[in-house]
């Protein structure tokens, strides 16, 4: 053991001692903080933030269809078409009148759609310079397919007027955990039973939907909500390469569907659209035409991913209890802060620290005094020591006249 140290010193047990500090300033600070924390728990956590609800993110899906609007379409009316050249358009191309079957291509992802804005087609044939083996089967070859015509490789066109095409939405959700527990149809609904709205990228409402069987929205409205113009130049690729317009390169959009509902209140949904910046989208298809020919179709367009989020909630007593217990734990902050002020900031901190911290005599010494009379004497001596500390505090206050006078004026 170290010199002048005993096991009693090393293994000392600090326990709590209750000291009633008669200082209205410290007490006022503590109760004010406790009141503020209590108001936060009840006012914000429980009432405003509805901390008594149990919420889950619902699962959702959507049925989609695309339709060309009726009427005659004139490519000469569109500035991005070579039929009506415009000097402000950097990459005009010949335009072709199309319908939904031409531009709406199947995709392998669920809850997604792809609308073609530009395509190019190349007819290819087997390379006659490739050798055949002894059995007449194709042998080694570095380029198995070659264009049938050199000019055919530049056959590029825009699909005219795709912004006017309309998309029909039929969405639905299910809060599966709640639905499996209760079999309540509230937790599994179609958007046709709800009210909804479309917000732009700034969060402003631009249209209302719902409660009419399905929602029909034009592609132009979706692009406006995302702040996308197909004729604008992209920031991609880098500066040293030629820039392309969104129509020419393709864009990727995330279409969010947020469901929001609390049990016994109507569920509502919100559409919101955002663009993935500096990303283009293309799909290449290969179609065999006979045994020696194929058609390569390279397409660019608008790819839309549909994502589901939000919260479906119900009252849950256990959730409320957890929120309240977690919030009440903040009450200890009031005590810790008040203790810090008492020990390090207040003018009478020296006296308060002496009242707060006490050390007993060593275990062996107390064992020797283990009689009723001696323990009673020990209690009397402790009371005397407390009185001495109080007197010493007064003596220190007289030595610190300026601070004590200032504190006395505050006390009055």
């Amino acid at each position: 053991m170290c010199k002048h140290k005993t096991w009693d010193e090393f293994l000392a047990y600090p326990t709590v001692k209750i000291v009633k500090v008669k200082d209205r300033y410290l007490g006022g600070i503590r109760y004010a903080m406790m009141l503020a924390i209590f108001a936060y728990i009840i006012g914000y956590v429980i009432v405003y933030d509805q901390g008594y609800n149990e919420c889950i993110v619902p699962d959702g899906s959507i049925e989609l269809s695309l339709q060309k609007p009726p009427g005659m379409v004139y490519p000469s009316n569109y500035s991005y078409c070579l039929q009506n050249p415009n000097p402000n358009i950097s990459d005009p191309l010949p335009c072709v009148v199309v319908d939904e079957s031409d531009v709406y291509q199947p995709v392998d992802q669920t809850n997604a759609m792809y609308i073609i804005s530009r395509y190019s087609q190349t007819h290819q044939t087997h390379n006659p310079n490739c050798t055949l083996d002894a059995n007449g089967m194709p042998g080694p070859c570095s380029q198995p397919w070659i264009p049938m015509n050199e000019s055919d490789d530049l056959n590029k066109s825009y699909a005219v007027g795709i912004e006017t095409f309309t998309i029909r939405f039929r969405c639905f959700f299910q809060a599966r955990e709640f639905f499996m527990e209760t079999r309540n149809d509230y937790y599994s609904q179609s958007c046709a039973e709800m009210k909804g709205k479309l917000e732009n990228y700034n969060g402003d409402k631009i249209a209302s939907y719902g409660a009419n069987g399905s929602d029909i929205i034009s592609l132009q409205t979706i692009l406006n909500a995302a702040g996308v113009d197909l004729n604008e130049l992209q920031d991609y690729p880098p500066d040293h390469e030629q820039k392309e317009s969104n129509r020419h390169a393709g864009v990727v959009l995330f279409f969010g569907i947020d469901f929001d509902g609390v049990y016994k209140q109507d569920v509502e949904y919100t559409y919101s659209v955002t663009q993935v910046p500096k990303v283009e989208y293309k799909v290449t298809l290969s179609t065999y035409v006979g045994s020696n020919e194929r058609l390569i179709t390279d397409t660019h367009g608008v790819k839309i991913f549909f994502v589901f989020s939000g919260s479906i909630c119900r009252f849950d007593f256990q959730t409320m209890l957890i929120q309240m217990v977690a919030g009440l734990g903040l009450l200890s902050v009031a005590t810790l802060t008040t203790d810090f002020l008492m020990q390090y900031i207040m003018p009478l901190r020296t006296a308060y620290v002496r009242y707060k911290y006490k050390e007993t005599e060593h275990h062996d010494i107390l064992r020797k005094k283990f009689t009723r009379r001696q323990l009673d004497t020990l209690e009397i001596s402790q009371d005397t020591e407390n009185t001495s500390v109080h007197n010493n505090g007064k003596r220190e206050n007289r030595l610190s006249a300026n601070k004590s006078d200032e504190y006395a004026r505050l006390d009055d």
Side-chain angles (χ1 to χ4, degrees):
M1 298 298 296
C2 298
K3 189 176 181 181
H4 306 303
K5 293 287 186 179
T6 66
W7 285 111
D8 290 335
E9 295 284 350
F10 281 104
L11 301 179
Y13 164 62
T15 187
V16 177
K17 178 182 180 181
I18 303 300
V19 178
K20 186 175 183 180
V21 180
K22 298 179 180 180
D23 189 319
R24 62 176 174 271
Y25 298 106
L26 284 174
I29 292 172
R30 178 171 178 266
Y31 287 117
M33 293 182 64
M34 292 178 66
L35 182 62
I37 293 171
F38 187 77
Y40 165 78
I41 297 170
I42 301 300
Y44 179 80
V45 176
I46 302 300
V47 178
Y48 178 78
D49 204 34
Q50 298 183 350
Y52 50 81
N53 284 329
E54 178 187 11
C55 302
I56 62 174
V57 178
D59 299 316
S61 189
I62 191 168
E63 177 189 346
L64 302 163
S65 61
L66 185 70
Q67 185 175 5
K68 173 187 173 297
M72 192 69 69
V73 178
Y74 298 91
S76 59
N77 292 337
Y78 296 87
S79 60
Y80 52 85
C81 298
L82 278 180
Q83 290 93 325
N84 179 23
N86 188 320
N88 296 324
I89 302 299
S90 62
D91 46 14
L93 290 174
C95 290
V96 178
V97 178
V98 295
D99 63 14
E100 59 272 9
S101 298
D102 296 319
V103 297
Y104 184 26
Q105 298 296 319
V107 292
D108 55 353
Q109 297 97 345
T110 304
N111 299 328
M113 72 182 309
Y114 175 50
I115 304 174
I116 296 173
S117 61
R118 175 179 73 87
Y119 63 91
S120 61
Q121 292 181 326
T122 304
H123 289 85
Q124 296 180 340
T125 185
H126 279 295
N127 189 347
N129 297 323
C130 292
T131 59
L132 301 178
D133 60 17
N135 298 321
M137 302 298 291
C141 188
S142 61
Q143 186 177 354
W145 296 89
I146 59 174
M148 295 180 64
N149 299 304
E150 292 297 332
S151 61
D152 198 30
D153 190 42
L154 301 176
N155 181 21
K156 296 181 180 180
S157 303
Y158 284 136
V160 67
I162 62 170
E163 294 96 322
T164 61
F165 284 39
T166 56
I167 306 171
R168 185 179 65 180
F169 296 81
R170 289 181 177 176
C171 59
F172 53 89
F173 82 90
Q174 185 175 98
R176 184 166 179 78
E177 179 182 341
F178 294 167
F179 181 75
M180 295 300 290
E181 289 180 6
T182 63
R183 299 294 179 177
N184 191 324
D185 290 343
Y186 178 85
Y187 302 117
S188 183
Q189 297 186 40
S190 167
C191 291
E193 306 172 53
M194 299 176 268
K195 293 183 179 180
K197 62 181 179 179
L198 172 64
E199 294 181 348
N200 62 14
Y201 57 94
N202 291 323
D204 301 322
K205 178 181 176 181
I206 59 178
S208 298
Y209 299 101
N212 62 351
S214 60
D215 299 335
I216 298 177
I217 309 175
S218 68
L219 179 59
Q220 184 63 66
T221 302
I222 294 175
L223 294 172
N224 291 341
V228 176
D229 183 351
L230 291 182
N231 293 324
E232 285 186 352
L233 294 179
Q234 288 194 344
D235 292 332
Y236 176 89
D239 293 337
H240 66 276
E241 300 183 26
Q242 182 179 358
K243 304 251 183 224
E244 297 178 332
S245 66
N246 291 320
R247 188 184 308 276
H248 194 276
V251 296
V252 177
L253 304 178
F254 274 89
F255 194 105
I257 305 177
D258 301 324
F259 298 101
D260 184 21
V262 179
Y263 186 62
K264 292 187 178 181
Q265 299 180 12
D266 292 338
V267 179
E268 298 183 351
Y269 63 90
T270 301
Y271 293 145
S272 59
V273 193
T274 55
Q275 180 189 11
V276 181
K278 300 182 179 180
V279 174
E280 64 177 28
Y281 195 84
K282 64 178 290 185
V283 175
T284 300
L285 302 175
S286 176
T287 305
Y288 275 86
V289 182
S291 58
N292 294 321
E293 298 179 12
R294 70 177 182 179
L295 177 64
I296 300 298
T297 304
D298 180 63
T299 66
H300 294 251
V302 180
K303 180 61 177 286
I304 306 176
F305 293 97
F306 295 88
V307 293
F308 298 88
S309 59
S311 61
I312 303 298
C313 305
R314 65 181 181 182
F315 174 79
D316 184 70
F317 179 77
Q318 184 176 1
T319 300
M320 182 183 68
L321 187 61
I322 292 173
Q323 291 283 4
M324 293 188 65
V325 171
L328 290 174
L330 293 174
L331 293 176
S332 61
V333 174
T335 301
L336 292 175
T337 303
T338 307
D339 275 355
F340 176 82
L341 295 174
M342 180 187 73
Q343 296 181 60
Y344 301 103
I345 305 299
M346 299 301 289
L348 297 176
R349 56 186 177 274
T350 303
Y352 291 156
V353 168
R354 291 183 179 179
Y355 276 109
K356 182 176 176 64
Y357 296 103
K358 299 290 293 181
E359 289 189 9
T360 67
E361 297 185 67
H362 287 284
H363 173 267
D364 295 339
I365 298 176
L366 290 177
R367 289 280 296 182
K368 295 177 180 179
K369 296 181 177 180
F370 198 72
T371 65
R372 187 173 188 81
R373 181 184 60 80
Q374 289 172 319
L375 289 178
D376 291 341
T377 304
L378 178 62
E379 293 175 359
I380 294 173
S381 65
Q382 288 178 338
D383 293 339
T384 304
E385 185 177 357
N386 289 339
T387 304
S388 175
V389 170
H390 181 68
N391 293 334
N392 289 337
K394 290 184 177 180
R395 195 175 301 114
E396 289 180 2
N397 291 339
R398 287 195 296 270
L399 293 176
S400 304
N402 293 334
K403 291 185 178 180
S404 298
D405 291 341
E406 180 180 357
Y407 187 81
R409 286 193 300 273
L410 291 174
D411 188 56
D412 293 334

